[in-house]
Amino acid sequence: MKRRLVSYSLAAVIGTSGLLLPYNNLVSAESLEEKKQEIQEKQSSVSSSIEKKEGEIANLEAEKAKLDEEIKNLDFKVSDTNEKISEKEASIEETKKNIEELKAKIEEVKARIEERMKLLEERARSLQESGGMVSYLDVLLGAQDFGDLVSRVSAVTTIVEADQEIMRAHEEDKKLLEQAEADLKSELKKLEDSLSELETLKQQLNVQVKQKQDLLKEVEGNHNEAVHEMHELEDEQAFLAEQKKAIELEEQRQKEAAARAAAEAAEAAKRKAEAAASSSSSSSSSSSSSSSDSSSSTSAASSETPAVTSGGFMWPASGTFTSGYGTRVHPVTGQTKLHAGIDIANSTGTPIVAAASGTVIRSSYSSSYGNVVYISHKIDGQVYTTVYAHMNSRLVGSGQSVSKGQQIGTLGTTGRSTGPHLHFEIHKGGWNGSANAVNPLNYLP
Protein backbone atom coordinates (compact mmCIF):
# COMPACT_ATOMS: atom_id res chain seq x y z
CA MET A 1 0.00 0.00 0.00
CA LYS A 2 2.81 2.38 0.90
CA ARG A 3 4.65 1.54 -2.32
CA ARG A 4 1.59 2.36 -4.41
CA LEU A 5 1.24 5.73 -2.68
CA VAL A 6 4.88 6.54 -3.41
CA SER A 7 4.38 5.58 -7.04
CA TYR A 8 1.36 7.85 -7.34
CA SER A 9 3.23 10.75 -5.70
CA LEU A 10 6.16 10.40 -8.05
CA ALA A 11 3.87 10.16 -11.03
CA ALA A 12 2.19 13.42 -10.05
CA VAL A 13 5.57 15.18 -9.73
CA ILE A 14 6.93 13.73 -12.97
CA GLY A 15 4.02 15.02 -15.00
CA THR A 16 4.19 18.70 -14.13
CA SER A 17 5.91 20.13 -17.19
CA GLY A 18 2.90 20.09 -19.45
CA LEU A 19 2.71 16.42 -20.54
CA LEU A 20 1.74 14.35 -17.58
CA LEU A 21 2.82 10.74 -18.11
CA PRO A 22 0.25 7.96 -17.92
CA TYR A 23 1.15 5.97 -14.88
CA ASN A 24 0.17 2.42 -14.14
CA ASN A 25 2.47 0.77 -11.65
CA LEU A 26 5.65 1.33 -13.62
CA VAL A 27 6.46 3.84 -16.30
CA SER A 28 8.53 2.48 -19.19
CA ALA A 29 12.20 3.41 -19.23
CA GLU A 30 11.73 4.84 -22.74
CA SER A 31 8.97 7.17 -21.52
CA LEU A 32 11.10 8.31 -18.61
CA GLU A 33 14.08 8.98 -20.86
CA GLU A 34 11.88 10.85 -23.32
CA LYS A 35 10.42 12.92 -20.49
CA LYS A 36 13.88 13.58 -19.09
CA GLN A 37 15.10 14.78 -22.50
CA GLU A 38 12.04 17.01 -22.80
CA ILE A 39 12.79 18.64 -19.46
CA GLN A 40 16.47 19.13 -20.31
CA GLU A 41 15.53 20.89 -23.54
CA LYS A 42 13.14 23.14 -21.68
CA GLN A 43 15.79 23.84 -19.01
CA SER A 44 18.14 24.95 -21.77
CA SER A 45 15.46 27.23 -23.23
CA VAL A 46 14.67 28.72 -19.80
CA SER A 47 18.38 29.31 -19.07
CA SER A 48 18.71 31.12 -22.39
CA SER A 49 15.66 33.25 -21.56
CA ILE A 50 17.13 34.12 -18.16
CA GLU A 51 20.41 35.25 -19.75
CA LYS A 52 18.50 37.39 -22.23
CA LYS A 53 16.37 38.88 -19.47
CA GLU A 54 19.47 39.64 -17.39
CA GLY A 55 20.85 41.55 -20.37
CA GLU A 56 17.62 43.52 -20.66
CA ILE A 57 17.74 44.35 -16.96
CA ALA A 58 21.37 45.51 -17.22
CA ASN A 59 20.46 47.83 -20.13
CA LEU A 60 17.45 49.19 -18.25
CA GLU A 61 19.56 49.82 -15.15
CA ALA A 62 22.13 51.72 -17.26
CA GLU A 63 19.34 53.81 -18.80
CA LYS A 64 17.91 54.42 -15.36
CA ALA A 65 21.30 55.60 -14.05
CA LYS A 66 21.64 57.99 -17.01
CA LEU A 67 18.20 59.45 -16.36
CA ASP A 68 18.97 59.76 -12.66
CA GLU A 69 21.98 61.95 -13.55
CA GLU A 70 19.85 64.10 -15.87
CA ILE A 71 17.25 64.53 -13.16
CA LYS A 72 20.01 65.51 -10.74
CA ASN A 73 21.29 68.21 -13.12
CA LEU A 74 17.76 69.49 -13.66
CA ASP A 75 17.24 69.64 -9.91
CA PHE A 76 20.32 71.88 -9.60
CA LYS A 77 18.99 74.16 -12.35
CA VAL A 78 15.58 74.35 -10.70
CA SER A 79 17.22 75.19 -7.38
CA ASP A 80 19.29 77.94 -9.02
CA THR A 81 16.22 79.33 -10.76
CA ASN A 82 14.24 79.34 -7.53
CA GLU A 83 17.07 81.24 -5.83
CA LYS A 84 17.08 83.86 -8.60
CA ILE A 85 13.31 84.16 -8.34
CA SER A 86 13.62 84.76 -4.60
CA GLU A 87 16.23 87.47 -5.19
CA LYS A 88 14.03 89.16 -7.76
CA GLU A 89 11.02 89.00 -5.49
CA ALA A 90 13.05 90.59 -2.69
CA SER A 91 14.24 93.32 -5.09
CA ILE A 92 10.67 93.97 -6.20
CA GLU A 93 9.53 94.26 -2.61
CA GLU A 94 12.36 96.74 -1.92
CA THR A 95 11.40 98.75 -5.01
CA LYS A 96 7.76 98.80 -3.96
CA LYS A 97 8.84 100.05 -0.56
CA ASN A 98 10.89 102.82 -2.17
CA ILE A 99 7.93 103.74 -4.35
CA GLU A 100 5.71 104.03 -1.31
CA GLU A 101 8.29 106.24 0.41
CA LEU A 102 8.58 108.32 -2.75
CA LYS A 103 4.81 108.66 -2.94
CA ALA A 104 4.85 110.00 0.60
CA LYS A 105 7.56 112.48 -0.31
CA ILE A 106 5.63 113.46 -3.43
CA GLU A 107 2.64 114.23 -1.26
CA GLU A 108 4.83 116.39 0.95
CA VAL A 109 6.25 118.23 -2.07
CA LYS A 110 2.80 118.63 -3.53
CA ALA A 111 1.74 120.18 -0.25
CA ARG A 112 4.67 122.61 -0.42
CA ILE A 113 3.91 123.40 -4.06
CA GLU A 114 0.31 124.03 -3.16
CA GLU A 115 1.41 126.43 -0.39
CA ARG A 116 3.71 128.16 -2.87
CA MET A 117 0.90 128.42 -5.36
CA LYS A 118 -1.32 130.05 -2.77
CA LEU A 119 1.47 132.50 -1.87
CA LEU A 120 2.13 133.31 -5.52
CA GLU A 121 -1.56 133.77 -6.18
CA GLU A 122 -1.84 136.18 -3.26
CA ARG A 123 1.17 138.14 -4.46
CA ALA A 124 -0.18 138.21 -8.01
CA ARG A 125 -3.48 139.56 -6.77
CA SER A 126 -1.65 142.15 -4.66
CA LEU A 127 0.40 143.29 -7.61
CA GLN A 128 -2.64 143.43 -9.79
CA GLU A 129 -4.56 145.45 -7.25
CA SER A 130 -1.68 147.85 -6.73
CA GLY A 131 -0.82 148.26 -10.40
CA GLY A 132 1.95 145.77 -10.74
CA MET A 133 5.39 147.27 -11.56
CA VAL A 134 4.06 150.79 -10.99
CA SER A 135 3.81 149.96 -7.34
CA TYR A 136 7.51 149.10 -7.27
CA LEU A 137 8.29 152.46 -8.96
CA ASP A 138 6.18 154.25 -6.42
CA VAL A 139 8.16 152.53 -3.70
CA LEU A 140 11.43 153.64 -5.28
CA LEU A 141 10.29 157.17 -6.13
CA GLY A 142 8.97 157.68 -2.65
CA ALA A 143 12.48 157.45 -1.19
CA GLN A 144 13.36 160.34 1.17
CA ASP A 145 17.07 160.27 0.44
CA PHE A 146 19.72 158.15 -1.28
CA GLY A 147 20.10 155.80 1.67
CA ASP A 148 16.38 155.24 1.76
CA LEU A 149 16.47 154.61 -2.00
CA VAL A 150 19.18 151.94 -1.62
CA SER A 151 17.19 150.26 1.08
CA ARG A 152 14.06 150.28 -1.01
CA VAL A 153 15.90 148.92 -4.08
CA SER A 154 17.38 146.14 -1.98
CA ALA A 155 14.00 145.23 -0.54
CA VAL A 156 12.38 145.15 -3.96
CA THR A 157 15.23 143.02 -5.35
CA THR A 158 14.93 140.59 -2.46
CA ILE A 159 11.21 140.23 -3.02
CA VAL A 160 11.66 139.63 -6.72
CA GLU A 161 14.45 137.12 -6.19
CA ALA A 162 12.39 135.32 -3.56
CA ASP A 163 9.54 135.03 -5.99
CA GLN A 164 11.88 133.73 -8.67
CA GLU A 165 13.44 131.21 -6.23
CA ILE A 166 10.01 129.94 -5.31
CA MET A 167 9.21 129.38 -8.97
CA ARG A 168 12.54 127.63 -9.64
CA ALA A 169 12.13 125.35 -6.62
CA HIS A 170 8.60 124.63 -7.67
CA GLU A 171 9.61 123.62 -11.18
CA GLU A 172 12.65 121.62 -10.05
CA ASP A 173 10.60 119.67 -7.50
CA LYS A 174 8.03 118.83 -10.11
CA LYS A 175 10.64 117.65 -12.62
CA LEU A 176 12.60 115.72 -10.01
CA LEU A 177 9.55 113.89 -8.69
CA GLU A 178 8.24 113.11 -12.15
CA GLN A 179 11.61 111.72 -13.28
CA ALA A 180 12.12 109.70 -10.09
CA GLU A 181 8.65 108.23 -10.31
CA ALA A 182 9.17 107.37 -13.99
CA ASP A 183 12.54 105.75 -13.23
CA LEU A 184 11.10 103.67 -10.41
CA LYS A 185 8.14 102.57 -12.50
CA SER A 186 10.53 101.57 -15.26
CA GLU A 187 12.66 99.63 -12.80
CA LEU A 188 9.61 97.89 -11.40
CA LYS A 189 8.51 97.01 -14.93
CA LYS A 190 11.93 95.51 -15.62
CA LEU A 191 11.80 93.48 -12.43
CA GLU A 192 8.30 92.26 -13.18
CA ASP A 193 9.40 91.26 -16.68
CA SER A 194 12.40 89.43 -15.23
CA LEU A 195 10.20 87.66 -12.72
CA SER A 196 7.82 86.65 -15.48
CA GLU A 197 10.75 85.30 -17.51
CA LEU A 198 12.04 83.37 -14.53
CA GLU A 199 8.61 81.95 -13.83
CA THR A 200 8.41 80.84 -17.45
CA LEU A 201 11.84 79.24 -17.15
CA LYS A 202 10.78 77.50 -13.99
CA GLN A 203 7.68 76.16 -15.70
CA GLN A 204 9.82 74.89 -18.54
CA LEU A 205 12.14 73.18 -16.11
CA ASN A 206 9.19 71.66 -14.28
CA VAL A 207 7.89 70.31 -17.58
CA GLN A 208 11.31 68.86 -18.36
CA VAL A 209 11.58 67.31 -14.92
CA LYS A 210 8.11 65.80 -15.24
CA GLN A 211 8.99 64.40 -18.65
CA LYS A 212 12.13 62.85 -17.23
CA GLN A 213 10.25 61.54 -14.22
CA ASP A 214 7.62 60.00 -16.48
CA LEU A 215 10.35 58.41 -18.55
CA LEU A 216 12.14 57.23 -15.41
CA LYS A 217 8.86 55.83 -14.12
CA GLU A 218 8.43 53.94 -17.37
CA VAL A 219 11.99 52.62 -17.19
CA GLU A 220 11.44 51.57 -13.58
CA GLY A 221 8.20 49.90 -14.62
CA ASN A 222 9.98 48.04 -17.41
CA HIS A 223 12.80 47.21 -15.03
CA ASN A 224 10.46 45.87 -12.36
CA GLU A 225 8.49 43.94 -14.96
CA ALA A 226 11.71 42.44 -16.36
CA VAL A 227 12.85 41.47 -12.86
CA HIS A 228 9.46 39.91 -12.18
CA GLU A 229 9.62 37.94 -15.43
CA MET A 230 13.13 36.79 -14.60
CA HIS A 231 11.95 35.62 -11.18
CA GLU A 232 9.19 33.66 -12.90
CA LEU A 233 11.78 32.09 -15.20
CA GLU A 234 13.92 31.23 -12.20
CA ASP A 235 10.88 29.64 -10.56
CA GLU A 236 10.27 27.62 -13.70
CA GLN A 237 13.93 26.63 -13.81
CA ALA A 238 13.76 25.39 -10.22
CA PHE A 239 10.51 23.60 -11.01
CA LEU A 240 12.07 21.79 -13.96
CA ALA A 241 15.03 20.81 -11.81
CA GLU A 242 12.64 19.28 -9.28
CA GLN A 243 10.85 17.36 -12.01
CA LYS A 244 14.15 16.07 -13.42
CA LYS A 245 15.13 14.93 -9.96
CA ALA A 246 11.79 13.17 -9.59
CA ILE A 247 12.37 11.32 -12.87
CA GLU A 248 15.81 10.26 -11.74
CA LEU A 249 14.29 9.00 -8.48
CA GLU A 250 11.70 7.10 -10.49
CA GLU A 251 14.43 5.54 -12.63
CA GLN A 252 16.25 4.47 -9.47
CA ARG A 253 13.00 3.14 -8.01
CA GLN A 254 12.39 1.10 -11.15
CA LYS A 255 15.88 -0.39 -10.99
CA GLU A 256 15.38 -1.28 -7.34
CA ALA A 257 11.93 -2.71 -8.10
CA ALA A 258 13.37 -4.80 -10.94
CA ALA A 259 16.16 -6.06 -8.69
CA ARG A 260 13.66 -6.96 -5.96
CA ALA A 261 11.45 -8.73 -8.51
CA ALA A 262 14.42 -10.72 -9.78
CA ALA A 263 15.45 -11.64 -6.25
CA GLU A 264 11.90 -12.67 -5.36
CA ALA A 265 11.66 -14.77 -8.54
CA ALA A 266 14.95 -16.50 -7.75
CA GLU A 267 13.84 -17.17 -4.21
CA ALA A 268 10.51 -18.59 -5.40
CA ALA A 269 12.28 -20.86 -7.89
CA LYS A 270 14.60 -22.04 -5.18
CA ARG A 271 11.73 -22.86 -2.84
CA LYS A 272 9.92 -24.68 -5.65
CA ALA A 273 13.00 -26.78 -6.39
CA GLU A 274 13.46 -27.65 -2.74
CA ALA A 275 9.83 -28.69 -2.42
CA ALA A 276 9.98 -30.90 -5.53
CA ALA A 277 13.14 -32.61 -4.32
CA SER A 278 11.69 -33.46 -0.96
CA SER A 279 10.40 -37.06 -0.64
CA SER A 280 8.07 -36.29 2.13
CA SER A 281 5.43 -33.69 2.10
CA SER A 282 4.06 -31.95 4.98
CA SER A 283 1.32 -29.49 5.23
CA SER A 284 1.39 -26.49 7.29
CA SER A 285 -1.07 -23.84 7.75
CA SER A 286 -0.22 -20.35 8.02
CA SER A 287 -2.37 -17.52 8.74
CA SER A 288 -1.64 -14.05 8.12
CA SER A 289 -3.42 -11.09 9.33
CA SER A 290 -3.14 -7.72 8.00
CA SER A 291 -4.17 -4.62 9.58
CA SER A 292 -4.31 -1.28 8.16
CA ASP A 293 -3.96 1.77 10.19
CA SER A 294 -6.00 4.68 9.22
CA SER A 295 -5.69 7.90 10.94
CA SER A 296 -7.71 10.92 10.53
CA SER A 297 -7.07 14.20 12.04
CA THR A 298 -9.87 16.45 12.82
CA SER A 299 -9.49 19.99 13.77
CA ALA A 300 -11.93 22.57 14.77
CA ALA A 301 -12.43 24.02 11.34
CA SER A 302 -12.65 27.71 11.19
CA SER A 303 -16.05 29.11 10.49
CA GLU A 304 -14.41 30.59 7.40
CA THR A 305 -13.35 27.20 6.03
CA PRO A 306 -15.39 26.60 2.83
CA ALA A 307 -17.74 23.62 2.77
CA VAL A 308 -16.72 20.62 0.69
CA THR A 309 -18.92 20.48 -2.40
CA SER A 310 -19.63 17.82 -4.98
CA GLY A 311 -17.99 17.80 -8.39
CA GLY A 312 -14.37 17.98 -9.39
CA PHE A 313 -13.31 21.18 -7.58
CA MET A 314 -14.45 23.27 -4.64
CA TRP A 315 -13.69 26.85 -3.67
CA PRO A 316 -10.27 26.93 -1.98
CA ALA A 317 -11.12 29.73 0.46
CA SER A 318 -14.00 31.84 1.65
CA GLY A 319 -13.97 35.56 1.05
CA THR A 320 -14.72 38.21 -1.55
CA PHE A 321 -14.10 37.61 -5.24
CA THR A 322 -12.01 40.63 -6.26
CA SER A 323 -10.41 39.81 -9.59
CA GLY A 324 -11.07 37.36 -12.39
CA TYR A 325 -9.18 35.45 -15.01
CA GLY A 326 -8.18 37.41 -18.11
CA THR A 327 -5.76 39.85 -19.72
CA ARG A 328 -4.65 43.01 -17.98
CA VAL A 329 -2.84 46.13 -19.23
CA HIS A 330 0.20 47.24 -17.24
CA PRO A 331 -0.49 50.82 -15.99
CA VAL A 332 3.03 52.05 -16.85
CA THR A 333 4.35 49.99 -19.77
CA GLY A 334 0.98 49.42 -21.44
CA GLN A 335 1.90 45.78 -21.99
CA THR A 336 -0.86 43.20 -22.00
CA LYS A 337 -0.43 40.23 -19.68
CA LEU A 338 -2.64 37.34 -18.63
CA HIS A 339 -3.94 37.23 -15.08
CA ALA A 340 -3.92 33.44 -15.02
CA GLY A 341 -6.28 32.93 -12.09
CA ILE A 342 -8.77 34.51 -9.73
CA ASP A 343 -8.29 36.50 -6.50
CA ILE A 344 -10.22 35.87 -3.29
CA ALA A 345 -9.76 38.54 -0.61
CA ASN A 346 -10.19 37.94 3.10
CA SER A 347 -8.38 38.63 6.37
CA THR A 348 -4.90 37.28 7.01
CA GLY A 349 -5.01 33.78 8.49
CA THR A 350 -8.19 32.68 6.70
CA PRO A 351 -7.93 28.93 5.99
CA ILE A 352 -6.99 27.77 2.48
CA VAL A 353 -7.96 24.24 1.47
CA ALA A 354 -7.16 21.88 -1.39
CA ALA A 355 -9.69 22.40 -4.18
CA ALA A 356 -9.53 18.66 -4.99
CA SER A 357 -7.75 15.55 -3.77
CA GLY A 358 -4.24 15.11 -5.11
CA THR A 359 -0.52 15.28 -4.42
CA VAL A 360 1.50 18.35 -3.51
CA ILE A 361 4.01 18.93 -6.31
CA ARG A 362 5.76 21.86 -4.70
CA SER A 363 5.49 23.90 -1.52
CA SER A 364 7.90 26.83 -1.50
CA TYR A 365 8.44 30.57 -1.53
CA SER A 366 8.99 32.71 -4.64
CA SER A 367 9.47 36.45 -5.07
CA SER A 368 6.39 36.69 -7.29
CA TYR A 369 3.91 34.23 -5.73
CA GLY A 370 5.25 34.48 -2.16
CA ASN A 371 4.32 31.36 -0.22
CA VAL A 372 2.87 29.08 -2.89
CA VAL A 373 1.62 25.48 -3.14
CA TYR A 374 1.18 23.45 -6.36
CA ILE A 375 -1.07 20.39 -6.27
CA SER A 376 -1.51 17.76 -9.02
CA HIS A 377 -4.95 16.15 -9.45
CA LYS A 378 -6.41 13.47 -11.70
CA ILE A 379 -10.15 13.91 -12.23
CA ASP A 380 -12.12 11.74 -14.65
CA GLY A 381 -8.89 10.69 -16.36
CA GLN A 382 -7.72 14.32 -16.87
CA VAL A 383 -4.70 15.71 -15.05
CA TYR A 384 -5.00 19.20 -13.52
CA THR A 385 -2.64 21.36 -11.49
CA THR A 386 -3.86 23.93 -8.99
CA VAL A 387 -1.81 26.85 -7.65
CA TYR A 388 -2.37 28.67 -4.35
CA ALA A 389 -0.30 31.89 -4.11
CA HIS A 390 0.47 34.75 -1.67
CA MET A 391 -0.24 32.47 1.32
CA ASN A 392 0.63 33.65 4.80
CA SER A 393 1.73 30.13 5.80
CA ARG A 394 2.05 26.71 4.17
CA LEU A 395 0.90 23.59 6.08
CA VAL A 396 1.85 20.91 3.53
CA GLY A 397 5.09 19.77 1.92
CA SER A 398 6.19 18.45 -1.47
CA GLY A 399 5.11 14.87 -2.16
CA GLN A 400 2.33 14.93 0.42
CA SER A 401 -1.09 13.52 -0.48
CA VAL A 402 -4.03 15.77 0.37
CA SER A 403 -7.76 15.27 0.31
CA LYS A 404 -10.38 17.62 -1.03
CA GLY A 405 -11.17 20.30 1.56
CA GLN A 406 -8.02 19.61 3.62
CA GLN A 407 -6.40 22.78 4.91
CA ILE A 408 -3.07 23.42 3.19
CA GLY A 409 -2.28 26.90 4.51
CA THR A 410 -3.58 30.31 5.48
CA LEU A 411 -4.39 33.40 3.45
CA GLY A 412 -1.89 36.29 3.40
CA THR A 413 -0.15 38.88 1.25
CA THR A 414 3.36 37.54 0.58
CA GLY A 415 5.24 38.09 -2.69
CA ARG A 416 3.97 40.61 -5.27
CA SER A 417 0.75 41.32 -3.44
CA THR A 418 -0.82 44.58 -2.28
CA GLY A 419 -3.28 43.13 0.22
CA PRO A 420 -4.34 39.86 1.87
CA HIS A 421 -5.87 37.57 -0.75
CA LEU A 422 -5.53 34.14 -2.35
CA HIS A 423 -4.47 33.97 -5.99
CA PHE A 424 -5.85 30.66 -7.26
CA GLU A 425 -5.07 29.04 -10.62
CA ILE A 426 -6.16 25.87 -12.42
CA HIS A 427 -4.00 24.42 -15.21
CA LYS A 428 -5.23 21.71 -17.53
CA GLY A 429 -2.33 19.25 -17.44
CA GLY A 430 0.93 19.82 -15.65
CA TRP A 431 1.90 23.35 -14.66
CA ASN A 432 3.42 25.14 -17.65
CA GLY A 433 3.38 28.80 -16.72
CA SER A 434 0.33 30.55 -18.16
CA ALA A 435 0.37 28.46 -21.35
CA ASN A 436 -2.22 25.96 -20.12
CA ALA A 437 -4.01 28.04 -17.48
CA VAL A 438 -7.81 27.91 -17.59
CA ASN A 439 -10.51 30.07 -16.04
CA PRO A 440 -11.14 28.62 -12.55
CA LEU A 441 -14.72 29.93 -12.59
CA ASN A 442 -15.51 27.37 -15.29
CA TYR A 443 -14.62 24.57 -12.87
CA LEU A 444 -15.85 25.86 -9.50
CA PRO A 445 -19.41 25.20 -8.33
Side-chain angles (χ1 to χ4, degrees), residues 61-77 212 216:
E61 286 176 345
E63 183 67 19
K64 179 181 176 183
K66 180 180 177 182
L67 286 172
D68 282 339
E69 187 63 27
E70 291 184 23
I71 291 294
K72 182 179 178 181
N73 293 334
L74 281 169
D75 286 341
F76 283 133
K77 289 181 180 180
K212 293 297 181 182
L216 180 59

Side-chain angles (χ1 to χ4, degrees), residues 231-244:
H231 288 162
E232 289 181 338
L233 289 170
E234 289 173 344
D235 284 345
E236 187 173 358
Q237 187 180 50
F239 207 97
L240 290 170
E242 290 178 4
Q243 292 181 96
K244 183 179 178 182

